[in-house]
């Protein structure tokens, strides 16, 4: 457990920071600051996978899941006022979407990384992150905001109907549900960070492998 403690702490920090920063909107509400911290979870998972293997990476992921669930439980107890409703800061369907997307995407990341680990040093982290980030985005935004999952809402105030409003795609394109624009914008950030994260991945892995040699 001691050897993966840095990974657990890093994952927990990212999850907590993302849960806080998701409240702060930028670019006319298309993104939140949390969109820039959350993808770093894939970097942590990939580093742990490369240095310590699949089992250690899974332990770090499950630790992150527990922290995420705790954050959602805390958020569900914070009540806000708006439009004549009293509603939780973290809606039930968003909590479900967050936990499901995190677990599925992170475990997929581990599996894909393991399949690609014998290739060039960048193949596994880039390939696994691109695939798992895409799956993460589809699962989260679909469950959290798409009309087909409205049944996951506990009450009318919990419906996040605003995300289903018809708006110009990415503020300038053809009309589409707002949540689609949110998903594409978030996905773009994930892909960008996946490329940028190759640099710290290479540096961190090199240092950790020298320490464990």
């Amino acid at each position: 457990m001691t050897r993966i403690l840095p990974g657990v702490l890093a994952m927990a920090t990212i999850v907590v920071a993302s849960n806080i920063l998701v409240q702060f909107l930028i670019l006319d509400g298309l993104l939140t600051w949390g969109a820039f911290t959350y993808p770093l979870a894939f970097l942590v998972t990939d580093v742990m996978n490369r240095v310590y293997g699949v089992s250690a990476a899974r332990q770090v992921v499950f630790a992150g899941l527990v922290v995420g669930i705790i954050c959602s439980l805390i958020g569900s107890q914070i009540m806000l006022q708006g439009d004549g409703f009293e509603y939780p800061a973290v809606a039930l369907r968003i909590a479900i979407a967050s936990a499901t997307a995190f677990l599925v995407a992170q475990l997929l990341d581990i599996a894909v990384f393991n399949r690609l680990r014998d290739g060039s040093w960048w193949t596994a982290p880039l390939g696994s992150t691109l695939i798992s980030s895409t799956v993460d985005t589809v699962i989260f935004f679909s469950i959290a905001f798409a009309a087909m999952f409205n049944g996951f809402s506990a009450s009318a105030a919990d419906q996040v109907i605003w995300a289903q409003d018809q708006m110009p795609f990415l503020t300038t394109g053809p009309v589409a549900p707002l949540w689609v624009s949110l998903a594409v914008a978030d996905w773009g950030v994930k892909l960008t960070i996946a490329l940028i994260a190759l640099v710290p991945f290479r540096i961190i892995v090199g240092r950790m492998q020298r320490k464990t040699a």
Side-chain angles (χ1 to χ4, degrees):
M1 179 63 182
T2 302
R3 67 174 185 168
I4 68 169
L5 183 59
V8 171
L9 293 176
M11 182 67 81
T13 300
I14 291 167
V15 171
V16 172
S18 298
N19 274 273
I20 295 172
L21 293 175
V22 74
Q23 302 172 62
F24 301 97
L25 305 178
I26 58 175
L27 297 179
D28 295 324
L30 279 179
L31 290 170
T32 72
W33 285 113
F36 295 89
T37 55
Y38 177 75
L40 297 177
F42 295 101
L43 171 61
V44 174
T45 301
D46 290 346
V47 168
M48 298 306 295
N49 199 343
R50 173 62 76 190
V51 178
Y52 297 121
V54 171
S55 179
R58 285 176 179 159
Q59 291 178 59
V60 170
V61 166
F62 286 122
L65 177 65
V66 171
V67 172
I69 291 173
I70 292 173
C71 288
S72 293
L73 289 174
I74 293 173
S76 68
Q77 299 306 307
I78 300 174
M79 303 306 294
L80 305 175
Q81 297 284 342
D83 298 324
F85 290 110
E86 183 178 63
Y87 57 93
V90 177
L92 174 62
R93 66 185 294 177
I94 292 179
I96 293 173
S98 179
T100 303
F102 180 86
L103 183 60
V104 172
Q106 291 291 333
L107 292 181
L108 177 62
D109 181 87
I110 293 172
V112 175
F113 187 103
N114 201 44
R115 291 290 298 271
L116 301 175
R117 69 186 309 130
D118 294 329
S120 300
W121 71 267
W122 54 268
T123 304
L126 183 59
S128 62
T129 300
L130 292 179
I131 293 172
S132 56
S133 291
T134 301
V135 170
D136 180 276
T137 301
V138 171
I139 292 177
F140 175 76
F141 283 92
S142 296
I143 296 177
F145 301 121
M148 70 178 70
F149 291 101
N150 281 350
F152 282 6
S153 299
S155 65
D158 200 23
Q159 287 281 10
V160 294
I161 295 297
W162 56 267
Q164 297 164 22
D165 290 344
Q166 298 293 311
M167 304 287 288
F169 179 67
L170 295 177
T171 72
T172 60
V175 172
L178 174 59
W179 71 267
V180 176
S181 292
L182 301 180
V184 172
D186 183 82
W187 181 61
V189 172
K190 285 189 175 84
L191 299 189
T192 301
I193 293 180
L195 292 170
I196 296 173
L198 289 175
V199 175
F201 173 84
R202 181 70 162 175
I203 295 171
I204 295 170
V205 167
R207 290 179 177 177
M208 292 181 69
Q209 287 180 333
R210 285 195 295 271
K211 289 182 179 180
T212 57

